Amino acid sequence: MSVSKNKATNLLRSSEKSSLRRFLVLYFILVVMILSLLGTFYYQSKEKLMYSNQRTLLSNYAHEQIQQLRQLHQEFPANTVYPRSSEFRSAIYDIERSKIFSTLKSKNIYFNKVFYRKNGVIRFMMYLDDYYLGAKYLFIEIDEDKEWYSSVMRDIFILGTIILIVLGIFGLFFVNLFLRPMKNSIMLLDDFIKDTTHELNTPISAILANVEMMDLEVMSEKNKKKLARINIAAKTVSHLYQDLTYLTLDHNRKSKDEWIDLKKLIEDRVEYFAILAGSKKLTFELNLNYSTIFIDGIKIARVIDNLISNAIKYNKRGGKIEITLRKDYFSIKDSGIGIEAEKVNDIFERYTRFNSSEGGFGIGLNIVKSIIEEYSLKISVSSILQEGTTIRVDFLKGTVDDG
Amino acid sequence: MDKIIVLLLLTLSLTGKEISNTHEVYKKHCIPCHEHLPYSLEKIYMLYLKTFSGELTFKASLKAFLKSPMEETSVMPDEWIENFSVKEKTILTDKELDKAINSYWELYDVRNKLR
């Protein structure tokens, strides 16, 4: 059961993987947006706190400066030195907003703002009740705290990263939770196929063996036709059985690679499908050169069988199937209904069929794809609606006999 | 050229006379009385400055007080009023008063002294 489960987890189709990717991207964007919003709130609250602290500090400086101005006013003109501090800079302006004295960095002064930040400095304005030295407005200025900014940004980055990781773990957990029903369905279907496959083997073998053994000489034409139909039906079921067996049992077995004579193999398989093709009055056109490939015999047979089977299944009555074999590739062309351009990429998905009018489980091309990928071969599909489909398999250098 | 030089010298001499006349009013009509009082004119200036702040407000308030001195509008302390009472109304014309006040402001302006 654990094997089945492991297998099921690998059964996610590319469309499901794409949905998963989309969900994760969407989730990530949403999380980043929420975190940005939280970061902004955090920054603003810290900024507010910093300003509140700075305002208190500047207010204290202002009261300190007023005391100094009061003293200077009393001592004037014996003492004419304007009070200065290493902690802050200051300026005094009279009631007509005319400058009396200033140690500020900039001459630009705003009389309508009590507390403000501009060009890297923070300024605080205080009104004097007694106009010492004629001063009505006192400005206190300090440089902006750059440490504060980098400290807050560091906090936001560290906290944001931790939250992002935690939410990412939650996201993966939820994705798995949502996908579990989907995985279970696929696993159930696979289990069903696996169980029924076992039950198909014996009766199909018996039917095919007995059909082969029947004496056609003593049989009437009518019965010969009936027997041919039985043969076709049994071979169709046999083909399906082999696909299902490969999918559920043989898929995980170790490959037994050997040099396979493709020309002979294709000829054998064409002969095997001859009766089936004959039922739709299809003709084979074989253009086969000699070619060998280093591959597992059962697997390459599954590839050829599935491609020929599809070419028969989706062909029109009285059509033809052209099979070409060259040293480094083979192609199978039918004269059938064709595939819509936007659906070409989906045909290799499991449980996907060209069209629902034909029978089958839609697993054939999925098997082809898995074998092609295993041997790093290249498969390409070109199709024109109502004209036919060509499937070409290119061999990798090293797998073909160059001699 | 000679005419220009003559005109320039005439202008300069008139300007010098004007300046001298401005301070003349202040020296003639303010200092004689105040130099015998315990509060110097500079101390009174600082009191006015502390009360009225800006130049225009300072000059306008001082002018108004000198033209119509009252206990209520005086910036001097109560002890001063009790000992010396409020000064008498000025006999200077508005023009002379302005000149005297301008001299007073220029003489003790803190902007020129702060360093």
Side-chain angles (χ1 to χ4, degrees), chain A residues 72-73 76-77 80-82 84 94-96 98-99 131 133-134, chain B residues 42 46 49-57 110-111 113-115:
Chain A
L72 180 63
H73 186 95
F76 209 82
T80 55
V81 180
Y82 182 81
R84 291 169 173 85
D94 67 21
I95 202 163
E96 288 140 21
S98 168
K99 186 177 84 181
Y131 307 145
L133 301 169
Chain B
E42 185 154 29
M46 294 306 283
L49 193 62
K50 196 179 133 188
T51 313
F52 297 109
S53 181
E55 183 182 352
L56 297 176
T57 326
V110 294
R111 287 172 176 79
K113 293 177 183 174
L114 278 173
R115 57 194 170 85

Side-chain angles (χ1 to χ4, degrees), chain A residues 84-102:
Chain A
R84 291 169 173 85
S85 167
S86 57
E87 305 288 330
F88 59 89
R89 295 175 292 279
S90 66
I92 47 175
Y93 283 74
D94 67 21
I95 202 163
E96 288 140 21
R97 298 183 175 181
S98 168
K99 186 177 84 181
I100 299 170
F101 198 84
S102 172

Side-chain angles (χ1 to χ4, degrees), chain B residues 2-20:
Chain B
D2 289 345
K3 278 183 182 175
I4 294 171
I5 293 170
V6 170
L7 275 173
L8 197 68
L9 286 171
L10 197 64
T11 313
L12 282 172
S13 88
L14 283 173
T15 314
K17 206 176 176 184
E18 188 73 19
I19 293 165
S20 162

Side-chain angles (χ1 to χ4, degrees), chain A residues 283-294:
Chain A
T283 52
F284 281 100
E285 276 185 23
L286 302 182
N287 186 358
L288 308 176
N289 288 358
Y290 175 76
S291 176
T292 55
I293 182 169
F294 194 70

Side-chain angles (χ1 to χ4, degrees), chain A residues 255-262 265 290-301 327-328 371-372 374-377 394-402:
Chain A
S255 297
K256 290 175 188 165
D257 294 346
E258 57 190 326
W259 286 106
I260 303 290
D261 180 349
L262 274 179
L265 180 67
Y290 175 76
S291 176
T292 55
I293 182 169
F294 194 70
I295 201 166
D296 186 293
I298 294 173
K299 289 182 179 176
I300 191 66
K327 192 168 187 61
D328 53 356
I371 297 168
I372 292 289
E374 186 184 339
Y375 286 92
S376 302
L377 303 177
D394 287 87
F395 312 139
L396 192 72
K397 266 198 169 179
T399 57
V400 289
D401 184 10
D402 295 327

Side-chain angles (χ1 to χ4, degrees), chain B:
Chain B
M1 185 67 184
D2 289 345
K3 278 183 182 175
I4 294 171
I5 293 170
V6 170
L7 275 173
L8 197 68
L9 286 171
L10 197 64
T11 313
L12 282 172
S13 88
L14 283 173
T15 314
K17 206 176 176 184
E18 188 73 19
I19 293 165
S20 162
N21 280 345
T22 306
H23 289 299
E24 203 63 42
V25 177
Y26 171 71
K27 281 176 186 168
K28 193 178 170 186
H29 294 280
C30 305
I31 296 174
C33 291
H34 276 275
E35 66 185 353
H36 301 296
L37 295 172
Y39 257 59
S40 68
L41 273 164
E42 185 154 29
K43 274 243 186 238
I44 298 170
Y45 175 91
M46 294 306 283
L47 268 176
Y48 258 91
L49 193 62
K50 196 179 133 188
T51 313
F52 297 109
S53 181
E55 183 182 352
L56 297 176
T57 326
F58 179 99
K59 287 177 178 175
S61 308
L62 183 57
K63 190 177 176 183
F65 177 77
L66 292 174
K67 284 174 83 175
S68 175
M70 285 187 290
E71 272 186 43
E72 294 77 24
T73 52
S74 173
V75 298
M76 301 308 283
D78 291 344
E79 295 80 24
W80 171 280
I81 306 283
E82 278 170 21
N83 290 327
F84 303 99
S85 76
V86 179
K87 77 177 282 301
E88 285 177 12
K89 189 178 172 182
T90 184
I91 53 160
L92 296 174
T93 63
D94 270 10
K95 202 175 176 184
E96 285 172 327
L97 204 54
D98 286 337
K99 280 180 183 174
I101 291 170
N102 284 340
S103 296
Y104 187 44
W105 174 265
E106 279 171 31
L107 210 58
Y108 298 114
D109 189 1
V110 294
R111 287 172 176 79
N112 302 328
K113 293 177 183 174
L114 278 173
R115 57 194 170 85

Side-chain angles (χ1 to χ4, degrees), chain A residues 16-77:
Chain A
E16 285 148 13
K17 280 179 186 166
S18 159
S19 303
L20 187 69
R21 254 199 311 275
R22 274 184 217 146
F23 171 81
L24 284 173
V25 167
L26 203 69
Y27 180 80
F28 183 76
I29 291 169
L30 205 68
V31 166
V32 168
M33 276 171 70
I34 291 169
L35 284 179
S36 305
L37 209 66
L38 287 174
T40 309
F41 287 147
Y42 179 76
Y43 177 84
Q44 282 175 345
S45 72
K46 280 282 180 185
E47 190 182 41
K48 229 175 188 173
L49 188 70
M50 185 274 289
Y51 278 148
S52 169
N53 292 338
Q54 299 281 36
R55 193 176 173 141
T56 310
L57 181 73
L58 290 178
S59 175
N60 291 338
Y61 286 156
H63 283 109
E64 197 181 296
Q65 187 70 357
I66 288 170
Q67 292 306 314
Q68 299 275 344
L69 289 172
R70 188 168 66 88
Q71 198 178 336
L72 180 63
H73 186 95
Q74 285 164 358
E75 290 169 0
F76 209 82

